[in-house]
Every structure is written in C-alpha cells, then in structure tokens.
C-alpha cells in the first residue's frame, strides 16, 4: 500500500459481472448475446493477418468510423470509436466536465460505472432517484443544477426505455447542458436518438458492439455527435492511448456492420424470446417490469435476489445480483436462447417449490 497514490488507495472500482470458467454455466449474467456474431466476422478474422498486424492500426479507426457513420446516417467526423463503450464513456467525463462547478447528473439506479468514472475523474455528481415504478424521473433531472446528464436508454438494470419523443423533449429543454445517451441496449428497443445528433449539438449518443452485435469479446463501442463533441473525445483519447481500436477489432466490427440482415434477425429473435421469458417469469410469481433491452429485472416476493442468485448458481445458471438497496430484491437475467431460458425456468420452478 505504501507505494500507492491516495487515489489508488481510496478509489472504489467498478465490479464487473462474474466471468467464471470453472464449470459449464448457462450464462445469463452479463447481457451477452446468446448467438454467435455474423459469419462475416469469422471471414474478417481470417483475413486480418501479416501486414495488418505488423503495423499500428489507424489512430482514428478510420475504416470503422466510416462504416459506423454510414450505419448512423452521419459523417465520419461525427463518430468516435473506442475500446468498448466503457472507454468512450470514461473519456466523456474529462471531455465534457470539470472538477469544479456544476457536474454530472444521473439516476440513482442506472449503469454503476457512471459513478465510478465521475469519482475517478474527480467530477461532482448528483444522483436523482428513479420513480416508484422504476422509470427515470426526467422532470426531476431537468430541475437538477448540473453541466450535463448520463442517461442509459434503455436503463440498466431495469431494462426500461424512454421513447424518442420524450428524450428529444429532454434534450431540447437541456439546451446548454450536454446529454449523453448511453444506448448500449438500444437495438432491442429501436428508438435511437442518433439521427437527432444532427439537430442537437448538446447530444452525444454512445453505442456498443458488445450486445446486439454479439461482440463483447472484441471490446468496441462508439459515440455519435456534433463534430465539436467528437473532437473533445479525440483530445482525451490522445492523452491516454493513440490506438484503442486495434486492427483485429476494426476489421471485425466493420464486417459485423456489413451484415445488417443477420444483425436484425438475431436481435428480433432475442426480443421475441424476451417476451416469452417475461411471461413465464410472471407466471412463476415474479415482478418483472416490461423490458426494452436484452435482459429482465425480476424479483419474487418473500425470496431475496441473493437467494435466487445463489440457488441458481449452485444449479449452474448465472444471473446478476447486487447487494444494494432496492436492487437486492431483484436479479437481472439476460435473455438467452430458448433452450437456455427453459433451463433457467425449470431451475426456478424447483427453487420456488
Ligand atoms: N452501458 C451500459 C448501460 C452497459 O450495461 C454496459 C455493459 N456493461 C456498457 C455501457 C459497456 O459496454 P461495453 O464496454 O462492453 O461496450
């Protein structure tokens, strides 16, 4: 400890979901996609070789940037790519917030990395409680003095999304405050604000390849926004790492984007299965808010989230549990394949007997 800085000694790091390899699990704990990535990804992997790996990659991930711009209907200057959307979000804190004055505002129950980043970068932050039905209290957030907002849409771990119209009204009212819309799960909802970044210079949309593109292992995410915001992210990136998107990552993600048909088919299967799984959980007596993501937030009266999580783990099924107020009554369950979900449901039935 004596060699560590005060920051290293006192910081509270983010706790990622378990990545256990000790046995074969039905793994429904980190919102991964149950389907493999597009076959074009495998082809791209075979192609990246020799010269691609001998050389440094493009510092702006230019090839991928152009492909993302095409997908989102913007120009490459409106796109920033990073090592997972976690890195893009991390860089956004020093890019758009200062250590003094009005800081960042986000919900009390949302992606817990926002709090970690804000603390790490020494940025003041205010948390606004969700309403009783787990929806975001956008009106209360609007009243909160701050320099900008982080809104996970759909929110995690509740899975609840805010429709585009309501989000646009929020962005318009925010005016000189920046709104960072974390759309990690947006493809399962289909209400992205990305097209609106052309009209609102205070809107930054952050997305990822980890969920709907089945590429959590490659680590890639991106931001879409006004060129001035993107420039801010580049300035921060170039203080940390010149090449966060490596050559393999760039080739793989570009290939995934080229197969929109595959992306839509797998996403639709997950959305359909989400509805079936929710119905089955409700039938087992769980409380499950309607989800717009690839996971469900499920709690059962008289059974703690910890009990459900622990018993399922013993049975070889991993779900996510947080020992925190409100969250401790629930588990977050990723939508798996129909077969995986059937295993989950059968184990739950036994546990509840
Ligand atoms: N935002 C939200 C809301 C998430 O749940 C996650 C996944 N943990 C991320 C961002 C980060 O995803 P990634 O770094 O894999 O792009």
């Amino acid at each position: 400890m004596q060699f560590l800085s005060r920051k290293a000694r006192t910081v509270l790091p983010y706790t990622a979901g378990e990545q256990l390899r000790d046995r074969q699990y039905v793994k429904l704990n980190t919102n991964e996609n149950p389907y493999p990535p597009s076959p074009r990804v495998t082809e791209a992997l075979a192609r990246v070789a020799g010269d691609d790996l001998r050389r440094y990659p493009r510092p702006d991930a230019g090839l991928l940037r152009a492909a993302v711009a095409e997908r989102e209907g913007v120009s490459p200057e409106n796109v920033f790519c990073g090592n997972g959307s976690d890195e893009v979000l991390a860089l956004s804190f020093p890019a758009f917030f200062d250590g003094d004055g009005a800081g960042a505002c986000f919900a009390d129950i949302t992606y817990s990395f926002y709090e970690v980043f804000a603390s790490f970068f020494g940025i003041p932050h205010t948390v606004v409680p969700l309403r009783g039905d787990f929806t975001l209290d956008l009106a209360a957030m609007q009243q909160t003095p701050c320099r900008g907002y982080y809104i996970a849409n759909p929110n995690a771990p509740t899975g609840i999304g805010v429709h585009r119209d309501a989000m646009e009204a929020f962005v318009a009212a925010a005016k000189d405050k920046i709104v960072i819309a974390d759309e990690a799960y947006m493809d399962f909802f289909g209400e992205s604000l990305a097209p609106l970044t052309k009209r609102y210079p205070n809107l930054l949309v952050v997305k990822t390849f980890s969920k709907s593109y089945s590429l959590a292992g490659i680590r890639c995410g991106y931001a879409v926004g006004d060129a001035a915001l993107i420039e801010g992210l580049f300035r921060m990136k170039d203080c940390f790492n010149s090449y966060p998107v490596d050559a393999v990552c760039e080739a793989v993600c570009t290939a995934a984007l080229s197969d929109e048909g595959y992306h839509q088919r797998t996403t639709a299967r997950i959305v359909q299965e989400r509805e079936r799984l929710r119905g089955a959980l409700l039938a087992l007596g769980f409380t499950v808010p309607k989800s717009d993501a690839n996971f469900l937030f499920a709690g059962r009266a008289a059974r703690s989230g910890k009990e459900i999580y622990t018993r399922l783990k013993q049975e070889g099924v991993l779900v996510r549990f947080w020992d925190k107020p409100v969250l401790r009554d629930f588990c977050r369950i990723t939508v798996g394949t129909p077969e995986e979900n059937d295993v989950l449901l059968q184990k739950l039935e036994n546990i509840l007997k």
Side-chain angles (χ1 to χ4, degrees):
M1 278 305 243
Q2 62 165 317
F3 299 113
L4 301 190
S5 68
R6 204 174 324 121
K7 181 173 239 168
R9 274 182 278 127
T10 57
V11 79
L12 205 61
Y14 174 73
T15 312
E18 295 167 291
Q19 300 295 346
L20 302 174
R21 304 282 204 269
D22 58 326
R23 62 185 272 198
Q24 186 85 21
Y25 287 99
V26 171
K27 194 169 172 303
L28 305 176
N29 68 329
T30 48
N31 298 344
E32 289 145 338
N33 199 303
Y35 302 109
S38 157
R40 292 196 196 168
V41 162
T42 318
E43 291 162 25
L45 271 176
R47 269 199 315 271
V48 192
D51 253 18
D52 286 332
L53 298 183
R54 182 173 66 85
R55 295 199 186 278
Y56 281 103
R58 296 170 187 82
D60 69 341
L63 187 70
L64 176 60
R65 213 180 168 202
V68 169
E70 197 183 323
R71 180 202 180 199
E72 301 293 355
V74 297
S75 303
E77 63 169 12
N78 302 116
V79 176
F80 174 84
C81 302
N83 185 247
S85 60
D86 278 342
E87 187 189 61
V88 179
L89 290 165
L91 297 173
S92 75
F93 278 86
F96 308 122
F97 296 90
D98 290 305
D100 54 4
C105 172
F106 40 84
D108 63 340
I109 294 175
T110 187
Y111 188 34
S112 56
F113 229 142
Y114 305 151
E115 181 121 45
V116 174
F117 290 140
S119 301
F120 180 77
F121 288 109
I123 287 155
H125 47 286
T126 310
V127 297
V128 172
L130 293 186
R131 293 193 285 220
D133 62 356
F134 298 122
T135 57
L136 286 171
D137 195 342
L138 290 179
M141 291 177 85
Q142 218 162 48
Q143 311 275 306
T144 303
C146 64
R147 197 179 161 85
Y149 303 95
Y150 284 85
I151 297 182
N153 188 29
N155 198 13
T158 62
I160 300 173
V162 180
H163 287 283
R164 193 186 280 125
D165 290 354
M167 280 299 291
E168 179 170 7
F170 183 82
V171 173
K175 289 197 186 99
D176 54 351
K177 295 178 190 164
I178 186 168
V179 178
I180 293 134
D182 176 356
E183 297 191 349
Y185 303 102
M186 183 51 82
D187 291 336
F188 305 103
F189 186 34
E191 300 259 342
S192 178
L193 295 190
L196 297 181
T197 55
K198 287 196 248 185
R199 297 225 304 271
Y200 297 97
N202 63 328
L203 172 63
L204 188 81
V205 172
V206 179
K207 295 194 182 183
T208 179
F209 285 92
S210 297
K211 315 296 179 182
S212 64
Y213 286 96
S214 310
L215 287 169
I218 204 78
R219 309 302 304 129
C220 192
Y222 62 86
V224 181
D226 188 76
L229 302 182
I230 299 302
E231 168 72 16
L233 291 171
F234 269 103
R235 291 176 67 90
M236 296 301 103
K237 166 189 89 84
D238 289 328
C239 296
F240 277 90
N241 183 355
S242 303
Y243 311 100
V245 176
D246 66 57
V248 177
C249 175
E250 190 175 17
V252 157
C253 292
T254 306
L257 283 175
S258 77
D259 201 353
E260 186 51 27
Y262 181 89
H263 178 238
Q264 281 182 10
R265 282 193 299 280
T266 46
T267 301
R269 276 160 88 175
I270 292 165
V271 167
Q272 190 184 2
E273 184 60 12
R274 172 185 78 203
E275 298 309 316
R276 180 186 79 95
L277 180 58
R278 176 164 182 262
L281 289 169
L282 289 172
L284 285 175
F286 281 86
T287 301
V288 194
K290 199 163 164 24
S291 168
D292 300 305
N294 67 335
F295 56 86
L296 294 160
F297 188 54
R300 181 72 160 55
R303 303 286 183 138
S304 68
K306 189 170 192 166
E307 181 190 349
I308 302 278
Y309 155 81
T310 310
R311 297 279 306 275
L312 281 174
K313 189 169 173 180
Q314 286 162 357
E315 298 283 332
V317 179
L318 285 181
V319 298
R320 191 89 192 260
F321 165 73
W322 292 270
D323 200 0
K324 291 184 182 165
V326 183
L327 298 182
R328 63 169 64 95
D329 293 332
F330 289 80
C331 288
R332 191 196 66 191
I333 304 171
T334 306
V335 178
T337 60
E339 297 73 28
E340 288 173 321
N341 300 331
D342 284 343
V343 172
L344 165 85
L345 289 166
Q346 185 236 312
K347 303 285 185 198
L348 281 174
E349 218 170 297
N350 290 343
I351 290 167
L352 294 173
K353 260 185 202 147

